[in-house]
Amino acid sequence: MAETADDPRASASLAALWAAVLLGVAGVAVLAAVFVAPLLAGAREPPFLAGQVPKNSLLFQRSTPRPHGVLHLAGSGTNIPLTRALADAFVARYPDVHIVVFESIGSSGGVMAVYDDVVDLGLISRPLDERETAHGVDAIPYARVPVVVAVNLSVPDVAITTAELADIFAGRKTRWADGAPIVVLQRERGDSGHLAVAAALPDFAAADEGAYRERRWRVILHDRAMQEALAITPGAVGLLDVGAISLQRLPLRALELDGYAPSEASVQSRRYPFAKDLSFAALEAPTGLAAEFIRFAHSEEGRALMVAHGYIPLPEVQ
Amino acid sequence: MSERTGLEGHYPSGKVGLRRYLSARMLPLILLLLVLVSVSAPLAYAALAARGLRAQARATAVQAADAVAREVQERPVLWRYDAGKLLAHLRAYVDNHGVARIEVADRSGVRIPLDTEAIASPAAAAGPLAWEAAPIVLNDEVVGHAWAAVSLAEARNAALLLLAPFGLLGVGLAGLLYFLPLGAIARAERRIEQSQVALARFNQTLEQQVAERSSQLGAAYEQLRQKEGRLRELSTRALLLQEAERRVIARELHDSAGQALTAIRINLQLMAQLAAVEPDSKVAKMAAKTLTIADATLEEIRRAVSMLGPAILDDVGLLAAVERLCDDFEREDLEIARELEVPEGGLSAALESVCYRVTQEALTNAARHAAASELRVVLRVEPARIVLEVHDNGRGFVPGERGEGRGGRGLVGMRERVELLGGSLRIDTAPGAGTAVRVELPRRALSDDGDDSAVVVA
């Protein structure tokens, strides 16, 4: 009855049992490998062509051929009103020339468009970062514009302190002088206006970052949308450059900050602390029409236009 | 201890071995159970969770692709430079749906640079990512792909965490399923072993009892045999006494009555001769008649003497007596052959008497009933036994059928006499095949003292 070591039939049946069990375990392993492992397989990088593609690669032939006598500009929404005004003046002087200023694609988009040779000049409202400089992109500053705290016309307040500004963005000050609620409109992270204010006012930087993190305020992605939202939202407050209000005659009010209006004098004396520089971005030393346009921006006529709309002209850097 | 060794020696299988047998077969099954219980649920969970996450990533990719597609429609050339800002919108998806990263590639598969820090959620830092893509379509043409990635770390870690409790569950179940039946089998095995030991002990006791009973039976048998021997001895002595008594009576008849009658006969003969002068006289007639009666009486006495005791044995010995017996029975139509060997000193009186009487009875039967033409008498004395055979070629008979009619009494008497002396009598016969009577007698029929002769002589 009992199995003995030298019972061949019992040994064979035991071996068959072990084989079946090992087969079962192997089956589970195969199931796991075939059905579960592919679902759990992942990678840090997406599985499409990754990494840097050489500039001369066919893949980079995405610049559209541009006809002679046409200048294409694109970039930060902050630059667009002034640049369009400059373009209009330039075209008035040289009627054969056509200048296309595209809708905002942001400073970063402007730099990349120049890098990819999609536009002749990029428009940036913030300093170039190291990566962009490393790509060989140069910034050619042409104007400085104060960043203002713009409010909807329903707001009775005409002045504000830097501390109050930080309190508003931190959510600590929620009412205007007449008791109406403050509606804060925030630009996306990395917006040049916010960067300029944050650089000058650390309290604001902290409040702004906290607001992003907690999604405290509505975030608006483009200058145009920001202008419209501020204009139609009662009690709205947001950061905007003064030139946009002036050039586009927007129904908005720029508040005095710590008693100073955003004038050229107060900005130059640093009493009004918030300002940003507007620059052209070019891959190489611009030539032809682009160089002409840059020269025009730095010309007397161009500088007069800037001053007329609250911009501070910057000298041409050689 | 010695008893235990003895028992084990009696049962070489010793242990029943059920536990080992069952254990060897359950071990692989238990292993399979352990693997299945431990791995199945975590695997299923990992597969379902990964599928869910991938579906989520795919849905986010579709939404991102739609959003980018609208931008592409408005700005066919410059969309790619503003896509980063657009996709910052999708941060909501990233945060709400656990999507780790969103990437956009153009139709050539080149990544469109986005501010990845803005779009990647902290989950992106954890482990490998599962990527799912959705096409960005403009006028039925694919201009790029939106890719969304989810972190699989959570699913993996959860599956690994599940492995612990399910592994424990598997170990517990496997342990229960292994040790419960094994315990029961071990108990049963112990009982069987106890029963085996008890059985072995019982067997041993039984053997002892059988040996004791055998020894008792042997003793009883020996006692019985001795009693039988003594009884046979007593019977033999009784037979010898009877034989001796009969011989005495026969001698008395022969010596006294026989002699007297012989004298009377002689006188009667003389009287008849004297009366012969006058043969028709009454005396002569009377004398002749009386002489006839005397002759008849003498004949009767002679026959009685012969029947009562073979005095002839005393006179001439067994060999001559048997010869004479044969002579007596021999006739013209019956020839009797003899092979008779008797040692010089003869045999004991009892043996001679039995041999003589058996021969006499056999010859009588053959002469009366067998209608035989030939008879053969063999008497052979061997060192240990005496063999007596009487063969005839007569008509034979069916043994036991008509025993009474054909000298049955005589046969029974023969057998009794032979058996009283420790011998055997065999009759071989069949109808038409003649009859053979064979007697074997041990030479030392009586006790060694041989005092039977004295009895017989007396």
Side-chain angles (χ1 to χ4, degrees), chain A residues 203-249:
Chain A
D203 282 354
F204 174 83
D208 201 34
E209 183 55 38
Y212 283 130
R213 209 167 41 242
E214 295 168 20
R215 299 192 201 170
R216 200 179 293 146
W217 314 123
R218 194 173 137 201
V219 175
I220 292 168
L221 295 177
H222 293 105
D223 275 30
R224 180 64 64 92
M226 183 69 172
Q227 292 157 13
E228 285 175 4
L230 280 172
I232 63 168
T233 309
V237 60
L239 298 179
L240 211 60
D241 57 276
V242 71
I245 298 173
S246 165
L247 272 170
Q248 296 172 107
R249 300 176 185 278

Short mmCIF file of all heavy atoms in Angstrom, two decimals, chain A residues 203-249:
data_model
loop_
_atom_site.label_atom_id
_atom_site.label_comp_id
_atom_site.label_asym_id
_atom_site.label_seq_id
_atom_site.Cartn_x
_atom_site.Cartn_y
_atom_site.Cartn_z
N ASP A 203 7.45 89.39 -1.67
CA ASP A 203 6.18 89.00 -1.06
C ASP A 203 5.17 88.60 -2.14
O ASP A 203 4.41 87.63 -1.99
CB ASP A 203 5.61 90.17 -0.25
CG ASP A 203 6.32 90.30 1.08
OD1 ASP A 203 7.15 89.40 1.38
OD2 ASP A 203 6.07 91.29 1.80
N PHE A 204 5.21 89.40 -3.22
CA PHE A 204 4.29 89.07 -4.32
C PHE A 204 4.68 87.73 -4.95
O PHE A 204 3.80 86.93 -5.30
CB PHE A 204 4.34 90.17 -5.39
CG PHE A 204 3.54 89.84 -6.61
CD1 PHE A 204 2.17 90.06 -6.65
CD2 PHE A 204 4.15 89.25 -7.72
CE1 PHE A 204 1.45 89.73 -7.77
CE2 PHE A 204 3.41 88.90 -8.84
CZ PHE A 204 2.05 89.15 -8.86
N ALA A 205 5.97 87.51 -5.09
CA ALA A 205 6.42 86.25 -5.69
C ALA A 205 5.86 85.06 -4.92
O ALA A 205 5.33 84.09 -5.51
CB ALA A 205 7.95 86.19 -5.72
N ALA A 206 5.92 85.17 -3.59
CA ALA A 206 5.43 84.05 -2.76
C ALA A 206 3.92 83.90 -2.91
O ALA A 206 3.40 82.78 -3.06
CB ALA A 206 5.80 84.29 -1.30
N ALA A 207 3.22 85.07 -2.89
CA ALA A 207 1.76 85.02 -2.98
C ALA A 207 1.34 84.46 -4.35
O ALA A 207 0.40 83.64 -4.44
CB ALA A 207 1.19 86.42 -2.77
N ASP A 208 2.06 84.90 -5.39
CA ASP A 208 1.73 84.45 -6.75
C ASP A 208 1.91 82.94 -6.89
O ASP A 208 1.04 82.23 -7.39
CB ASP A 208 2.67 85.20 -7.72
CG ASP A 208 2.10 85.20 -9.13
OD1 ASP A 208 0.87 85.26 -9.27
OD2 ASP A 208 2.91 85.13 -10.08
N GLU A 209 3.04 82.46 -6.35
CA GLU A 209 3.32 81.03 -6.45
C GLU A 209 2.29 80.21 -5.68
O GLU A 209 1.80 79.18 -6.15
CB GLU A 209 4.74 80.74 -5.91
CG GLU A 209 5.20 79.31 -6.03
CD GLU A 209 5.10 78.79 -7.46
OE1 GLU A 209 5.39 79.57 -8.39
OE2 GLU A 209 4.69 77.62 -7.64
N GLY A 210 1.94 80.76 -4.49
CA GLY A 210 0.92 80.07 -3.69
C GLY A 210 -0.40 80.02 -4.43
O GLY A 210 -1.11 79.00 -4.39
N ALA A 211 -0.72 81.13 -5.12
CA ALA A 211 -1.99 81.17 -5.86
C ALA A 211 -1.99 80.14 -6.99
O ALA A 211 -3.00 79.46 -7.21
CB ALA A 211 -2.21 82.57 -6.41
N TYR A 212 -0.84 80.02 -7.68
CA TYR A 212 -0.75 78.98 -8.73
C TYR A 212 -0.99 77.60 -8.12
O TYR A 212 -1.74 76.78 -8.65
CB TYR A 212 0.63 79.00 -9.39
CG TYR A 212 0.86 80.12 -10.38
CD1 TYR A 212 1.99 80.92 -10.30
CD2 TYR A 212 -0.05 80.36 -11.40
CE1 TYR A 212 2.22 81.94 -11.21
CE2 TYR A 212 0.16 81.39 -12.31
CZ TYR A 212 1.29 82.17 -12.22
OH TYR A 212 1.50 83.17 -13.10
N ARG A 213 -0.29 77.37 -7.02
CA ARG A 213 -0.32 76.04 -6.42
C ARG A 213 -1.75 75.69 -5.97
O ARG A 213 -2.21 74.56 -6.17
CB ARG A 213 0.65 76.00 -5.25
CG ARG A 213 1.22 74.63 -4.99
CD ARG A 213 2.41 74.66 -4.05
NE ARG A 213 2.25 75.56 -2.94
CZ ARG A 213 3.03 76.61 -2.71
NH1 ARG A 213 4.02 76.89 -3.54
NH2 ARG A 213 2.82 77.40 -1.68
N GLU A 214 -2.39 76.68 -5.35
CA GLU A 214 -3.72 76.40 -4.80
C GLU A 214 -4.82 76.70 -5.81
O GLU A 214 -6.00 76.55 -5.48
CB GLU A 214 -3.94 77.26 -3.54
CG GLU A 214 -2.98 76.89 -2.42
CD GLU A 214 -3.01 77.91 -1.30
OE1 GLU A 214 -3.99 78.68 -1.20
OE2 GLU A 214 -2.03 77.97 -0.53
N ARG A 215 -4.42 77.16 -7.00
CA ARG A 215 -5.38 77.54 -8.04
C ARG A 215 -6.42 78.50 -7.46
O ARG A 215 -7.63 78.27 -7.53
CB ARG A 215 -6.08 76.30 -8.60
CG ARG A 215 -5.11 75.38 -9.23
CD ARG A 215 -5.86 74.35 -9.98
NE ARG A 215 -4.98 73.20 -10.16
CZ ARG A 215 -5.41 72.05 -10.62
NH1 ARG A 215 -6.66 71.90 -10.93
NH2 ARG A 215 -4.57 71.06 -10.77
N ARG A 216 -5.85 79.49 -6.85
CA ARG A 216 -6.71 80.43 -6.13
C ARG A 216 -7.46 81.33 -7.10
O ARG A 216 -8.60 81.69 -6.85
CB ARG A 216 -5.82 81.25 -5.19
CG ARG A 216 -6.56 81.91 -4.03
CD ARG A 216 -5.57 82.66 -3.16
NE ARG A 216 -4.66 81.78 -2.47
CZ ARG A 216 -3.39 82.08 -2.20
NH1 ARG A 216 -2.88 83.23 -2.58
NH2 ARG A 216 -2.63 81.24 -1.55
N TRP A 217 -6.80 81.69 -8.19
CA TRP A 217 -7.41 82.66 -9.12
C TRP A 217 -7.54 82.04 -10.51
O TRP A 217 -6.90 81.06 -10.84
CB TRP A 217 -6.56 83.93 -9.21
CG TRP A 217 -6.11 84.46 -7.86
CD1 TRP A 217 -4.85 84.67 -7.46
CD2 TRP A 217 -6.95 84.83 -6.79
NE1 TRP A 217 -4.80 85.15 -6.19
CE2 TRP A 217 -6.11 85.26 -5.74
CE3 TRP A 217 -8.34 84.86 -6.57
CZ2 TRP A 217 -6.58 85.71 -4.51
CZ3 TRP A 217 -8.78 85.31 -5.34
CH2 TRP A 217 -7.93 85.72 -4.33
N ARG A 218 -8.37 82.74 -11.29
CA ARG A 218 -8.55 82.34 -12.67
C ARG A 218 -7.26 82.69 -13.44
O ARG A 218 -6.75 83.80 -13.30
CB ARG A 218 -9.73 83.13 -13.24
CG ARG A 218 -10.27 82.63 -14.54
CD ARG A 218 -11.55 83.42 -14.84
NE ARG A 218 -11.58 83.81 -16.25
CZ ARG A 218 -12.31 84.82 -16.71
NH1 ARG A 218 -13.03 85.55 -15.88
NH2 ARG A 218 -12.31 85.09 -17.99
N VAL A 219 -6.74 81.73 -14.23
CA VAL A 219 -5.50 81.96 -14.97
C VAL A 219 -5.83 82.18 -16.45
O VAL A 219 -6.56 81.41 -17.05
CB VAL A 219 -4.54 80.77 -14.81
CG1 VAL A 219 -3.30 80.96 -15.69
CG2 VAL A 219 -4.13 80.60 -13.36
N ILE A 220 -5.29 83.26 -17.01
CA ILE A 220 -5.59 83.61 -18.41
C ILE A 220 -4.29 83.52 -19.19
O ILE A 220 -3.22 83.94 -18.71
CB ILE A 220 -6.23 85.00 -18.47
CG1 ILE A 220 -7.63 84.90 -17.82
CG2 ILE A 220 -6.34 85.49 -19.91
CD1 ILE A 220 -8.27 86.22 -17.55
N LEU A 221 -4.39 82.93 -20.41
CA LEU A 221 -3.18 82.54 -21.12
C LEU A 221 -2.65 83.59 -22.09
O LEU A 221 -1.47 83.57 -22.42
CB LEU A 221 -3.44 81.24 -21.88
CG LEU A 221 -3.72 80.02 -21.00
CD1 LEU A 221 -4.04 78.81 -21.87
CD2 LEU A 221 -2.54 79.72 -20.11
N HIS A 222 -3.52 84.51 -22.58
CA HIS A 222 -3.04 85.45 -23.59
C HIS A 222 -3.34 86.90 -23.20
O HIS A 222 -4.30 87.17 -22.47
CB HIS A 222 -3.69 85.16 -24.94
CG HIS A 222 -3.25 83.85 -25.53
ND1 HIS A 222 -4.05 82.74 -25.55
CD2 HIS A 222 -2.07 83.48 -26.09
CE1 HIS A 222 -3.40 81.74 -26.11
NE2 HIS A 222 -2.18 82.17 -26.43
N ASP A 223 -2.49 87.82 -23.72
CA ASP A 223 -2.67 89.24 -23.43
C ASP A 223 -4.06 89.73 -23.82
O ASP A 223 -4.72 90.42 -23.06
CB ASP A 223 -1.62 90.06 -24.20
CG ASP A 223 -0.32 90.15 -23.43
OD1 ASP A 223 -0.05 89.18 -22.69
OD2 ASP A 223 0.41 91.15 -23.59
N ARG A 224 -4.46 89.35 -25.03
CA ARG A 224 -5.75 89.83 -25.52
C ARG A 224 -6.89 89.39 -24.62
O ARG A 224 -7.76 90.18 -24.23
CB ARG A 224 -5.96 89.31 -26.97
CG ARG A 224 -7.25 89.72 -27.63
CD ARG A 224 -7.31 91.22 -27.81
NE ARG A 224 -6.27 91.71 -28.71
CZ ARG A 224 -6.46 91.85 -30.03
NH1 ARG A 224 -7.61 91.57 -30.58
NH2 ARG A 224 -5.49 92.30 -30.80
N ALA A 225 -6.84 88.13 -24.24
CA ALA A 225 -7.88 87.60 -23.36
C ALA A 225 -7.84 88.31 -22.02
O ALA A 225 -8.89 88.61 -21.42
CB ALA A 225 -7.68 86.10 -23.18
N MET A 226 -6.62 88.59 -21.55
CA MET A 226 -6.47 89.26 -20.26
C MET A 226 -7.09 90.67 -20.32
O MET A 226 -7.81 91.07 -19.40
CB MET A 226 -4.98 89.34 -19.92
CG MET A 226 -4.67 89.94 -18.56
SD MET A 226 -5.20 88.82 -17.25
CE MET A 226 -4.50 89.67 -15.83
N GLN A 227 -6.81 91.36 -21.40
CA GLN A 227 -7.34 92.72 -21.54
C GLN A 227 -8.87 92.70 -21.55
O GLN A 227 -9.53 93.48 -20.86
CB GLN A 227 -6.82 93.35 -22.83
CG GLN A 227 -5.32 93.62 -22.82
CD GLN A 227 -4.71 93.70 -24.21
OE1 GLN A 227 -5.43 93.78 -25.22
NE2 GLN A 227 -3.39 93.65 -24.28
N GLU A 228 -9.41 91.74 -22.30
CA GLU A 228 -10.87 91.68 -22.38
C GLU A 228 -11.48 91.31 -21.04
O GLU A 228 -12.48 91.89 -20.61
CB GLU A 228 -11.27 90.63 -23.43
CG GLU A 228 -11.05 91.12 -24.85
CD GLU A 228 -11.32 90.04 -25.88
OE1 GLU A 228 -11.76 88.93 -25.49
OE2 GLU A 228 -11.08 90.30 -27.08
N ALA A 229 -10.85 90.36 -20.35
CA ALA A 229 -11.41 89.92 -19.07
C ALA A 229 -11.39 91.07 -18.06
O ALA A 229 -12.36 91.28 -17.32
CB ALA A 229 -10.60 88.73 -18.55
N LEU A 230 -10.27 91.81 -18.03
CA LEU A 230 -10.18 92.92 -17.08
C LEU A 230 -11.24 93.98 -17.41
O LEU A 230 -11.85 94.57 -16.52
CB LEU A 230 -8.79 93.55 -17.15
CG LEU A 230 -7.68 92.82 -16.39
CD1 LEU A 230 -6.31 93.44 -16.71
CD2 LEU A 230 -7.92 92.90 -14.88
N ALA A 231 -11.46 94.20 -18.70
CA ALA A 231 -12.38 95.26 -19.13
C ALA A 231 -13.83 94.94 -18.77
O ALA A 231 -14.61 95.84 -18.47
CB ALA A 231 -12.24 95.47 -20.65
N ILE A 232 -14.18 93.65 -18.78
CA ILE A 232 -15.61 93.34 -18.61
C ILE A 232 -15.94 92.75 -17.23
O ILE A 232 -17.10 92.56 -16.92
CB ILE A 232 -16.09 92.35 -19.69
CG1 ILE A 232 -15.35 91.02 -19.57
CG2 ILE A 232 -15.94 92.94 -21.09
CD1 ILE A 232 -15.96 89.94 -20.39
N THR A 233 -14.92 92.48 -16.42
CA THR A 233 -15.21 91.84 -15.13
C THR A 233 -15.22 92.91 -14.02
O THR A 233 -14.20 93.52 -13.74
CB THR A 233 -14.16 90.78 -14.80
OG1 THR A 233 -14.02 89.91 -15.91
CG2 THR A 233 -14.54 90.00 -13.55
N PRO A 234 -16.38 93.18 -13.38
CA PRO A 234 -16.42 94.17 -12.31
C PRO A 234 -15.52 93.74 -11.15
O PRO A 234 -15.50 92.57 -10.78
CB PRO A 234 -17.88 94.17 -11.87
CG PRO A 234 -18.64 93.53 -12.99
CD PRO A 234 -17.70 92.58 -13.63
N GLY A 235 -14.76 94.68 -10.62
CA GLY A 235 -13.90 94.42 -9.48
C GLY A 235 -12.64 93.67 -9.86
O GLY A 235 -11.89 93.26 -8.97
N ALA A 236 -12.41 93.54 -11.19
CA ALA A 236 -11.25 92.74 -11.61
C ALA A 236 -9.97 93.53 -11.44
O ALA A 236 -9.94 94.76 -11.61
CB ALA A 236 -11.40 92.31 -13.05
N VAL A 237 -8.89 92.78 -11.10
CA VAL A 237 -7.57 93.38 -11.02
C VAL A 237 -6.59 92.39 -11.64
O VAL A 237 -6.76 91.18 -11.50
CB VAL A 237 -7.20 93.72 -9.56
CG1 VAL A 237 -7.17 92.49 -8.68
CG2 VAL A 237 -5.83 94.41 -9.49
N GLY A 238 -5.55 92.92 -12.35
CA GLY A 238 -4.56 92.05 -12.95
C GLY A 238 -3.36 92.86 -13.37
O GLY A 238 -3.38 94.09 -13.31
N LEU A 239 -2.30 92.16 -13.75
CA LEU A 239 -1.08 92.83 -14.17
C LEU A 239 -1.10 92.99 -15.69
O LEU A 239 -1.37 92.02 -16.40
CB LEU A 239 0.15 92.02 -13.73
CG LEU A 239 0.31 91.83 -12.23
CD1 LEU A 239 1.56 91.00 -11.92
CD2 LEU A 239 0.40 93.18 -11.51
N LEU A 240 -0.75 94.21 -16.16
CA LEU A 240 -0.78 94.50 -17.59
C LEU A 240 0.28 95.57 -17.84
O LEU A 240 0.67 96.28 -16.92
CB LEU A 240 -2.17 95.04 -17.96
CG LEU A 240 -2.70 94.74 -19.36
CD1 LEU A 240 -2.82 93.24 -19.61
CD2 LEU A 240 -4.08 95.40 -19.52
N ASP A 241 0.73 95.66 -19.08
CA ASP A 241 1.69 96.73 -19.32
C ASP A 241 0.94 98.00 -19.76
O ASP A 241 -0.12 97.91 -20.39
CB ASP A 241 2.74 96.32 -20.34
CG ASP A 241 2.13 95.91 -21.63
OD1 ASP A 241 1.72 94.71 -21.73
OD2 ASP A 241 2.02 96.76 -22.53
N VAL A 242 1.52 99.10 -19.42
CA VAL A 242 0.81 100.36 -19.58
C VAL A 242 0.61 100.71 -21.06
O VAL A 242 -0.39 101.33 -21.45
CB VAL A 242 1.55 101.51 -18.83
CG1 VAL A 242 2.86 101.87 -19.54
CG2 VAL A 242 0.67 102.72 -18.64
N GLY A 243 1.54 100.29 -21.88
CA GLY A 243 1.44 100.60 -23.30
C GLY A 243 0.22 99.98 -23.94
O GLY A 243 -0.42 100.57 -24.81
N ALA A 244 -0.14 98.79 -23.53
CA ALA A 244 -1.31 98.12 -24.09
C ALA A 244 -2.56 98.93 -23.80
O ALA A 244 -3.42 99.10 -24.69
CB ALA A 244 -1.43 96.71 -23.49
N ILE A 245 -2.64 99.45 -22.55
CA ILE A 245 -3.83 100.23 -22.20
C ILE A 245 -3.89 101.51 -23.05
O ILE A 245 -4.91 101.85 -23.61
CB ILE A 245 -3.77 100.60 -20.69
CG1 ILE A 245 -3.78 99.32 -19.85
CG2 ILE A 245 -4.94 101.50 -20.32
CD1 ILE A 245 -3.56 99.58 -18.37
N SER A 246 -2.71 102.11 -23.17
CA SER A 246 -2.66 103.39 -23.87
C SER A 246 -2.89 103.21 -25.37
O SER A 246 -3.74 103.87 -25.96
CB SER A 246 -1.29 104.04 -23.63
OG SER A 246 -1.07 105.08 -24.54
N LEU A 247 -2.14 102.25 -25.97
CA LEU A 247 -2.22 102.07 -27.42
C LEU A 247 -3.59 101.61 -27.86
O LEU A 247 -4.10 102.00 -28.91
CB LEU A 247 -1.18 101.04 -27.88
CG LEU A 247 0.21 101.59 -28.23
CD1 LEU A 247 1.19 100.45 -28.43
CD2 LEU A 247 0.13 102.45 -29.48
N GLN A 248 -4.22 100.76 -27.04
CA GLN A 248 -5.50 100.18 -27.46
C GLN A 248 -6.69 100.88 -26.83
O GLN A 248 -7.81 100.43 -26.98
CB GLN A 248 -5.50 98.69 -27.12
CG GLN A 248 -4.44 97.95 -27.92
CD GLN A 248 -4.27 96.51 -27.47
OE1 GLN A 248 -4.67 95.61 -28.15
NE2 GLN A 248 -3.68 96.36 -26.29
N ARG A 249 -6.37 101.91 -26.09
CA ARG A 249 -7.43 102.71 -25.43
C ARG A 249 -8.38 101.78 -24.67
O ARG A 249 -9.60 101.82 -24.84
CB ARG A 249 -8.21 103.54 -26.46
CG ARG A 249 -7.34 104.52 -27.23
CD ARG A 249 -8.13 105.25 -28.30
NE ARG A 249 -7.26 106.10 -29.12
CZ ARG A 249 -6.87 107.33 -28.74
NH1 ARG A 249 -7.27 107.83 -27.57
NH2 ARG A 249 -6.08 108.04 -29.53
#
